[in-house]
Each structure stands twice: as C-alpha cells, then as structure tokens.
Amino acid sequence: MPDHNFSEPQRQSGVGLVLIFATSLYHIARNLWVIIIYFAFKDLDQRTVFMAGGAILLVLLLSLGYSILYFLNFKFHIDEKNEEFVLQKGVFSTDVINIPFEKIQQVNFRRNILQRIIGVYSVVVETAGSQEKEVEIKALSGEKANALAEKLMARAEEERAEKVEDNQVEAAAAIPPATGKPLPQWEHKVSMFTLVKLGLTSNYLRGVGIIMAFYFTLREQFMFNEELSAQLQEPEAYLTQGGYAFIIFLLLVGMLLTVGETLIKYFGLNLQKYKDTLQVEMGLRNNTRVNLRASRIQLLQVLTNPIQKKMDLYQVNISLASSEDDLDKNQVKIVGLPPGVVKQVKDYFYESGIEENFRISPSKFLLFRKISRGLIPLAVISVFLIFYPQVMFLSWILGVASVYVVLMVVYNYFHYKKLQLGISKEFLIRHSGVWVQKEEYLEIFRLQAVSVSQPLWYKRRGLCKLTFHSAGGDVNFPMVSKAKVQPVLNYLLYKIEVTERAWM
C-alpha cells in the first residue's frame, strides 16, 4: 500500500463530486416534493412546461455550482506540529475544525448504496469533548480511507499512551489496511437464516402498530366508503365478514416488516477479531464498519428472550464514550450471536474474566410499589363506572379485571426476582428483565461517580436508589437498603479515587 502523506491539505476523491451533487439534489427534491407532485399530475400548457423546465435547469445549474465549490473548499490534513486533525469546509463561509489527537475515540467507515456504486467510503472520526461530536469525510477510496484511519488511530493511541504512567503504547493498527491485511484471529458471520429467525422472534407487534396507525389515518382522512364505514362501526358484522382473518393478516405483515427491517439493518453482519481490535461490519442500505478497541468500551450489555435463548441467539450492545445525553447514538448493536461468540467478545474486552462475589437484591417494597401502581388503572375505571354503570356488563368487567390483576402481579413478581446487582472486585453486573433478559457489565475503574438518592419515603425506610455513572451511560439500581450497600459504596468510592487506569 502506498505511503499516503496527509501532512498537506488535500481533497476528497474526484468522484466525490458526484456524491455531493446527488446529495444536494436529494435535499432539494425532499423539500420541494409537493411542487413536484403538483406539476406531475396537473395538465399544463406549453408555456408553463417551458417555464418549469427552465426553473429545473436553473436549479440543477445552481446545485452543480454549489457542489463544485463545496468539493473544492473541502480539505483535510494531519497537523503533526500542533498534534491535531484539521478539516476545512464551507462555501459562503469557511469552517475550520481542529480535533486534537487525544480526543479521537473511533475512526469508522460508512457506505450507502451510491457510495458503493461509485466505489468510495465515508470516514467518520468520532470525538469526545471537542467542538464536533463526529466529523465525516464522505468520499475517499478504500485504500486512502484505510491509511487515514490507521494514522489517526495510531496518533490518538500515542497521545493517550504518553499520559499513562507505565508508558505502554498499544498497537497502532486500529484498522487493518486494504492490502497486506493480516488474517483475523477469529471470525463470525451472521447468516441470513439467523437474521430471519431473529426478526421472527423480535418485537413484531411494532410492525402491527405501524400498519394499524396507517390504516386508521387513512380511514380518518378519506372515510373510505359508506359500506365499509358501516362495517367498521358494527363489530359483530365486521368479525363475521373476515375480521379474524384480518387480524391474522396484520400479525403476519407485522412479522414480515420486522424481518425486513432486521435484514436491511444487519445484512452481512460480520465480526473479525484482530490482535488489537474487533471489527464489526453490517448493513444493506447503509453499510457501516466499526473498529472496537477494548480500551474504548465503557459499558457492555447482553440481551436475549426465552425464545431466542432456545435458539442460541443473543444480542450484544457496546457503549462507547460519549459527551451527548442520547447515549444510544454511540452504541454498537451486534445481534444473532451464539453463546460461544458472546464469550469470545467478552474475553477480548475483559481479559481478567468476570466473576461475581455476591449479589444485592432490591427491597420488597419495590414489588409492593409496582403492584400498587399497577392497580391504579383499575381504580380509575371503577370510579368511571360508578358514574356510567350502563357502559359495560359487570361480569365482563370482573373477568377482565381478574385476568389483568393476575398477569400484572406475576409479571412484577418475576421482574422483582430478576433484578439483581452483582458485585466483584473489578465489575458491577446488573441483571434484569422478564421477557427481554439483560445483563450489563461495567468495569469499576471506569466509574466516574456514584449517585445516592433518597426521596422522603425512601429515607423513612432506610432505602436509596443507586446510579453508577460512566462515559458510556448510567446503570441504575432502585430501592435497596442503604445499610446493606454502604460497604459496597465505600469500596466503589475508594476505587474511583485511587485508580490510575485510564477509563478511555
């Protein structure tokens, strides 16, 4: 691979002009779609067609001119003297973004369909605490993109390593180069069949909700016809004329929507473990390639549900350092993994292993509070029926209420039993979930603070709510005995003060 010199300001690949122009046209069409549809379906005279054609030609020329200027003014380089990555962009005003090497967290790749066609990559530089959360260069060749990412991550690692007392520099090659690429230590590809199984066992009721919302929106706007409207207002007639088949149809379409969404989002999901990085690539419409280093991982979650567990399907969510409130935006989700691969991922991120010394359970008052809150809807309905007793039959109400109470109590009981906080010398592990079962792993040295809150009625019972803060998100644990967790809190606060390991 040629040794690319990034010390001098340089532009994107020449074909990037096509991408900029296409993006510009897309934004114009999205903002003017009403006018486009109007002219498409209206019978226009020759003069109007001529004027509309002239306007379209003018817009195309202006858009092309803007795209050329944007392409020419978009430059980037590596400033070794000031130890930063510099990016300049803008047409009417010039923005210069300076990112110190030590602020660079990740350098990832993205590709949409057009970028695949013209053979370019988007290089996304994710940062922490700088003026921009992420900086994107949308059109670089694969070779140049790999070289830039490699140099940026190498310089970022060197800068951070200088601040570590033992001065151990991690390996520089965060992204394997396009040529002469070393073989991965292990690799796992998620098959199409696995993604289909995942989609079928996921929350397909969301797809049903989308269909129902679309259906009733159309009904509200257009009211269909009088015959259909009458059927919709008469449940008995509706059910006798294929209502059950319609419900089954909705469920099937909802499942298909969820399967399709899963296939598009996670198509080609591939994990490759190299010496110092775990490379994750996925996506059909928007292909993303992320390189994860163990030193960047702040919080790790492992999720499954009973059906997926029987099929050996697990999901791993990896939270990176973020300065934003919306931490989901900085989370990498890897789905459809068997238990063996989940263990390999955990072993890479946590070389010391994860062993729990003991667990803490919440107070029984948590179960009491959840059941009490679950009874509030019944109380509201009861008050309503006092004033409107003619609305429903009493026997029907009692039957529905009994089923609701039983299900609500059972659900909250299992929620209470599953909620536990595991403690070890190096880890906090939070267990939770009834249907979607979740385990969250947080290394103690990555803790930034521990919050202890006590509302008035918590205080009277000697209870508190714990919040463990990290750069990758917070881990909450509600309603626990303060006397029981005080020794743990003392230990955690001590570790926060004395640890010398860099948390990112």
Side-chain angles (χ1 to χ4, degrees), residues 127-178:
T127 65
S130 65
Q131 62 209 48
E132 297 280 340
K133 177 186 175 290
E134 66 177 30
V135 171
E136 185 172 7
I137 305 172
K138 293 188 176 182
L140 290 182
S141 65
E143 184 181 274
K144 197 170 185 178
N146 276 305
L148 177 62
E150 179 184 348
K151 290 191 177 183
L152 286 178
M153 286 306 299
R155 296 296 286 115
E157 291 300 326
E158 290 172 7
E159 288 299 315
R160 275 187 285 268
E162 291 176 0
K163 297 186 177 182
V164 180
E165 190 176 19
D166 58 13
N167 199 32
Q168 293 180 348
V169 181
E170 299 182 50
I175 298 178

Side-chain angles (χ1 to χ4, degrees), residues 46-330:
Q46 187 175 359
R47 181 173 179 273
T48 304
V49 171
F50 178 77
M51 293 181 63
I56 293 173
L57 180 60
L58 179 62
V59 169
L60 290 175
L61 292 174
L62 290 175
S63 179
L64 179 60
Y66 177 87
S67 301
I68 293 173
L69 290 175
Y70 187 89
F71 173 79
L72 294 176
N73 291 335
F74 192 102
K75 299 177 182 179
F76 62 92
H77 70 280
I78 294 176
D79 188 344
E80 295 287 354
K81 181 179 180 181
N82 295 316
E83 299 181 341
E84 60 188 14
F85 177 66
V86 182
L87 186 143
Q88 171 188 308
K89 62 180 180 178
V91 176
F92 303 109
S93 62
T94 302
D95 295 330
V96 179
I97 301 172
N98 303 78
I99 305 175
F101 293 143
E102 63 182 17
K103 299 296 184 182
I104 297 174
Q105 295 301 304
Q106 292 285 134
V107 182
N108 304 322
F109 292 160
R110 294 175 186 165
R111 297 181 84 186
N112 57 33
I113 295 176
L114 179 57
Q115 287 172 316
R116 293 186 189 183
I117 293 173
I118 63 179
V120 295
Y121 288 80
S122 277
V123 178
V124 183
V125 183
E126 296 186 358
T127 65
S130 65
Q131 62 209 48
E132 297 280 340
K133 177 186 175 290
E134 66 177 30
V135 171
E136 185 172 7
I137 305 172
K138 293 188 176 182
L140 290 182
S141 65
E143 184 181 274
K144 197 170 185 178
N146 276 305
L148 177 62
E150 179 184 348
K151 290 191 177 183
L152 286 178
M153 286 306 299
R155 296 296 286 115
E157 291 300 326
E158 290 172 7
E159 288 299 315
R160 275 187 285 268
E162 291 176 0
K163 297 186 177 182
V164 180
E165 190 176 19
D166 58 13
N167 199 32
Q168 293 180 348
V169 181
E170 299 182 50
I175 298 178
T179 59
K181 181 176 178 179
L183 294 175
Q185 296 176 352
W186 58 263
E187 182 177 7
H188 178 75
K189 294 182 179 180
V190 178
S191 67
M192 289 279 289
F193 181 60
T194 299
L195 292 179
V196 170
K197 290 192 297 182
L198 188 70
L200 291 174
T201 56
S202 298
N203 183 20
Y204 58 82
L205 291 179
R206 181 177 59 179
V208 175
I210 294 172
I211 297 170
M212 292 295 291
F214 177 72
Y215 167 74
F216 284 110
T217 299
L218 288 179
R219 179 189 171 195
E220 181 71 21
Q221 293 295 324
F222 301 103
M223 294 305 294
F224 293 104
N225 55 60
E226 294 181 0
E227 181 181 352
L228 178 58
S229 179
Q231 290 179 2
L232 292 175
Q233 293 172 8
E234 298 177 7
E236 293 182 2
Y238 174 66
L239 291 175
T240 57
Q241 297 181 22
Y244 293 116
F246 179 68
I247 292 174
I248 295 173
F249 172 75
L250 280 180
L251 292 174
L252 290 175
V253 174
M255 294 174 67
L256 290 176
L257 284 176
T258 306
V259 170
E261 180 185 21
T262 303
L263 289 175
I264 292 172
K265 187 174 182 180
Y266 299 107
F267 177 81
L269 178 55
N270 185 27
L271 280 71
Q272 291 183 317
K273 166 62 174 65
Y274 295 90
K275 180 181 179 181
D276 297 293
T277 186
L278 176 65
Q279 186 179 98
V280 182
E281 185 171 1
M282 71 183 83
L284 180 61
R285 185 173 64 88
N286 289 313
N287 181 261
T288 304
R289 192 169 84 190
V290 182
N291 294 272
L292 302 170
R293 298 176 68 86
S295 59
R296 304 287 171 267
I297 307 308
Q298 301 294 324
L299 181 65
L300 185 142
Q301 301 173 340
V302 179
L303 302 88
T304 189
N305 63 44
I307 298 177
Q308 292 176 351
K309 193 173 184 178
K310 291 288 185 181
M311 298 180 178
D312 287 338
L313 297 177
Y314 290 79
Q315 175 176 325
V316 175
N317 296 342
I318 302 168
S319 297
L320 308 175
S322 173
S323 58
E324 290 199 344
D325 293 332
D326 189 359
L327 294 168
D328 284 341
K329 292 182 178 180
N330 221 31

